[in-house]
Amino acid sequence: LEGVVGVLLCRFLGLPDHRADLAAVRAYRAYLNDERNAGSAPAGRQGRKHIDPVGANRSLLESYLRVSLDLGLTLPRIPTLSWSKTVSRHRFGHWDADHNAVVISQVLDDPDVPEFVLDYVLYHELLHILHPVKMGSATKRIVHSAAFKRDERKFPRWKEGDDWIRRLARRRGR
């Protein structure tokens, strides 16, 4: 509790996180990253998760099969796949460890967005299952480790996919 309060106060005051009590922040971050706590979401995060893997134009199940079969991706557990309920401006996907779910933005359920872009984003989110967040020095969380980035580059058109995502984010930001 002291760690989360310290982080929140630092962010509220515009100070770097390391200005908080480092031991408390490390304990808080360690608690967040402990796999034993993955299923114990706080009261506000518990409940039913919106699940809808079939969009108006694309199926996340088909994308998952392409990614896992074509790239030989083997996961410790298969996540629930769903399109987001709302259209996100900059977040095109996320992995929710508490619900073991990958949620992809509806922006990618557009026939003008190439199929490989959806596959790239889904692959990126699935890599978060294989490469969980680690703690770096002090209070820094490493979300995209060197191993994560190495595996991400195994996607055949990763650079092109990344460029597409950047363009979509700029277009949506206007």
Side-chain angles (χ1 to χ4, degrees), residues 84-100:
S84 62
K85 287 197 285 188
T86 59
V87 176
S88 173
R89 292 174 62 177
H90 295 287
R91 192 174 191 187
F92 296 102
H94 71 276
W95 176 57
D96 181 342
D98 290 329
H99 293 99
N100 187 34

Side-chain angles (χ1 to χ4, degrees), residues 54-76:
V54 180
N57 300 293
R58 302 226 166 91
S59 167
L60 292 174
L61 303 171
E62 291 174 15
S63 181
Y64 176 80
L65 287 174
R66 281 191 305 271
V67 167
S68 59
L69 295 175
D70 292 349
L71 296 167
L73 189 64
T74 305
L75 300 172

Side-chain angles (χ1 to χ4, degrees), residues 26-71:
R26 281 191 194 111
Y28 165 63
R29 302 257 194 219
Y31 173 81
L32 285 180
N33 295 323
D34 190 332
E35 288 183 12
R36 292 173 295 182
N37 299 322
S40 59
R45 300 248 0 239
Q46 291 175 346
R48 294 177 51 110
K49 184 83 173 166
H50 167 78
I51 300 171
D52 190 4
V54 180
N57 300 293
R58 302 226 166 91
S59 167
L60 292 174
L61 303 171
E62 291 174 15
S63 181
Y64 176 80
L65 287 174
R66 281 191 305 271
V67 167
S68 59
L69 295 175
D70 292 349
L71 296 167

